[in-house]
Amino acid sequence: MPLGERLRAEGLHPSLVAAALTQSRLRGKAHAKLGDFADGMLFTAAGLEQATRLEVGAHHARRYRDAGLTHVADLTCGIGADALAFAGVGLRVTAAELDEMTAAIATVNLRHFPEVEVRHTDGLSLDLTGVDGVYADPARRTGGGSRVHDPASYSPPLDAVLAVRERVPALGLKLGPGIAHRDLPDDARAQWVSVDGDVVELGLWFGPLAPEGPGRSALVLRGGQPHVLAPVEVAHAHVGAIGAYLYEPDGAVIRAGLVGDVALDVRGRLVDPTIAYVTSDELQATPFATAYRVLDRMPFGLKRLRTYLRERGVGRLTIKKRGTAVVPEQLRRQLDLRGDATATIVLTRVAGHQSVLVVEPVGDELAGTSAPGGS
Ligand SMILES: C[S@@+](CC[C@H](N)C(=O)[O-])C[C@H]1O[C@@H](n2cnc3c(N)ncnc32)[C@H](O)[C@@H]1O
């Protein structure tokens, strides 16, 4: 008998059974973000969706600890994932949450840390006396769950949170990675973060939380290892011919505008000044890009590509693209693939011409090679 039915048959109220099953399902999901901590926590679906992964929260927390701060105000604590990371490195935390139910859940989730106080209040109204660091992760969704893109419509609004640094210079913010560079304040260290290839956030760090000074960087977390890429001012990547290898930069690197720096990192060049692909004659281990061996290249043309793939019996095709209007699924239908072989193609512009590169992932060949650009 399904668990829900059994619990109801044992006399538990249906609403209690439904709530317990929801928590059980959310805990299962939360493992991906919070590991075993999830087993002792409560969630709402929206709260979990917005919660910071513990691995990333730990990086946030280290900035406060390394700056020698002791008491952090988390203005928008949600279900408390960031606050958990702050408490985990020994910081005192005053956490505010506007939504009553979410504040109650954060109180439960942080119950093991006596140095954390959760308040059901507007974070902007917190008394910051004695607080030496502030953190905010404004809500970027409407009540209905759709994403808000205008920073003035975040809750609380971005400008109101940024103004807090006039009172407490050690301010840190978590924002969506898609925010335009022009909307970012000049005095921020802006760090785009990816976890195993997914871009998860943009962190803005001010004052003592940005010992590296204002500017842009990417924090690439792969297999639990952190790698930071920051711009090198002394050299610029040039654009040049396709070499033996193609590199697809990590999304955090692209968002941070550091594709040229990846080109320098792999002793390569850009495929095009406006396209986020790098090419090199050398195979270089890098955490900042995925490497492919270039097997073939040709100008883009449906007939020619179809013949090429037919001759090789390619039935399963991975299509990657940048800088072209081709719709992969439409192209796949038009190619009418048949056969057991697999292939990967990259559709892009090379020297101003729509081109096809036939590539294969390098993968294991780089295992064991030490990656440059450490943490
Ligand atoms: C993105 S979530 C925070 C997630 C949190 N950092 C975590 O890791 O669990 C934003 C939260 O801010 C809350 N919020 C929005 N406006 C607020 C305000 N003015 N004061 C306090 N909380 C607010 C929302 O209810 C939501 O729970």
Side-chain angles (χ1 to χ4, degrees), residues 46-47 50-53 74-83 96-99 102 119 121-124 135-140 154-157 174:
Q50 298 176 86
T52 300
R53 286 154 205 259
D74 180 349
L75 305 188
T76 56
C77 76
I79 55 100
D82 270 307
E97 171 53 52
L98 198 55
D99 177 68
T102 309
R119 295 194 200 155
T121 188
D122 180 345
L124 291 177
Y135 176 78
D137 175 6
R140 289 171 273 125
Y154 294 171
S155 180
K174 172 182 159 189

